[in-house]
Amino acid sequence: DIQLTQSPSFLSASVGDRVTVSCRASQAISTYVAWYQQKPGRAPKLLIYSASTLQTGVPSRFSGSGSETEFTLTISSLQPEDSASYYCQQLNRYPFTFGGGTKVEIQ
Amino acid sequence: QVQLQQSGPGLVKPSQTLSLTCTVSGGSINSGDHYWSWIRQSPGKGLEWIGYIYYSGNTYYNPSLKSRVTISIDTSQNQFSLKLSSVTASDTALYYCARDDYGGNSVNWGQGTLVIVSS
């Protein structure tokens, strides 16, 4: 199985900060990466697919980049409603796998 | 707007079979544009992809669960189901159904069902 390693596992930042979350794949996966946001008690929500394509309705402060083994989710200006956990997922090879998650806290 | 509503017991005894159903509204499960998947989440294993089914009945299962998993589809009821046999405490998790686009991205999710395996 393809392993996805996210870093950091936790970060605390202030409103307005630029925040980046990394996802590293154990082997090359082209751009077959999705990013999800999950708030407590809620199902995950798709933010980005194909590494950099913003899902309809997702604020433009979210962006994704990367290819092969290194991927990044960026929040350009952190907002209070962005407090959540974020997960990457690879869709290049079965079985699809997820990263361990990054919890983002607002200071 | 497509909605997925999950149903099924929240408590299953060890060695028995976990059964969950996901009913789709606001869209047809017969759509050839989507896959219908199950994903689970536990504190110990994080998010784990269980498998998917296509409207034609074609399935793909996570090899780690393949011997115990069955995903089926009932197009007449616009629903799909998960069965996981011979459950143990390690199968305790929050189970989600989802509608995936053709790339496998999970666009719509059910509300989640916490299933506890305990006698």
Side-chain angles (χ1 to χ4, degrees), chain A residues 1 32-34 36 38 41-46 48-50 55 87 89 91 94-100, chain B residues 35 39 41 46-49 52 60-64 94 96 100-101 103-107 109-112:
Chain A
D1 295 3
Y32 293 103
V33 165
Y36 298 87
Q38 185 178 33
R42 304 291 297 274
K45 172 188 173 183
L46 179 65
I48 288 168
Y49 60 95
S50 299
Q55 172 68 357
Y87 298 91
Q89 181 193 27
L91 302 119
Y94 294 118
F96 298 157
T97 50
F98 292 87
Chain B
Y35 292 89
I39 295 160
Q41 185 174 29
L47 285 161
E48 182 178 25
W49 184 80
Y52 73 69
Y60 190 92
Y61 302 139
N62 191 322
S64 68
L94 188 55
Y96 291 103
D100 297 353
D101 65 17
N105 305 288
S106 297
V107 181
W109 295 66
Q111 80 275 21

Side-chain angles (χ1 to χ4, degrees), chain A residues 38 42-44, chain B residues 4-12 16-22 37-42 45-51 65 68-69 71 81-98 109-117:
Chain A
Q38 185 178 33
R42 304 291 297 274
Chain B
L4 286 71
Q5 180 69 37
Q6 297 177 220
S7 58
L11 181 64
V12 181
Q16 294 192 343
T17 297
L18 176 161
S19 295
L20 296 174
T21 296
C22 186
S37 64
W38 288 95
I39 295 160
R40 68 182 183 179
Q41 185 174 29
S42 62
K45 295 184 181 178
L47 285 161
E48 182 178 25
W49 184 80
I50 298 172
L65 298 168
R68 299 192 292 129
V69 171
I71 299 176
S81 300
L82 169 71
K83 290 188 187 299
L84 182 65
S85 64
S86 305
V87 297
T88 68
S90 65
D91 294 310
T92 293
L94 188 55
Y95 286 76
Y96 291 103
C97 63
W109 295 66
Q111 80 275 21
T113 301
L114 176 61
V115 178
I116 297 172
V117 179

